Amino acid sequence: MTITVGFLVFPGIQLLDLAGPYEIFSALSDGDIHLFWKTREPVACSAGMCFYPTTTLGGGPLVVLLCI
């Protein structure tokens, strides 16, 4: 069974708030991870690093777990 996990990214998100949980869930052998935002345009975190959403809020797959 694939475990689909979603992370909501947004301008000003703290890098550590995303990186830590992302690292844990990416270690799952049957995990499928998505980064959600309003558009698929790059989103800058508080330190300026950009994340690239993999899907939009309205167009993404159903997730088992959504991290906000």
Side-chain angles (χ1 to χ4, degrees):
M1 177 183 159
T2 300
I3 299 170
T4 306
V5 179
F7 289 91
L8 179 64
V9 295
F10 50 87
I13 188 173
Q14 295 286 313
L15 177 59
L16 188 58
D17 290 340
L18 177 64
Y22 189 100
E23 190 69 27
I24 297 298
F25 289 115
S26 69
L28 296 173
S29 61
D30 56 352
D32 185 24
I33 300 175
H34 296 274
L35 300 179
F36 286 83
W37 186 233
K38 295 186 287 186
T39 68
R40 297 211 38 212
E41 298 296 317
V43 177
C45 75
S46 62
M49 182 179 193
C50 287
F51 297 109
Y52 294 85
T54 58
T55 190
T56 61
L57 294 170
L62 292 176
V63 296
V64 173
L65 176 67
L66 179 63
C67 300
I68 300 174

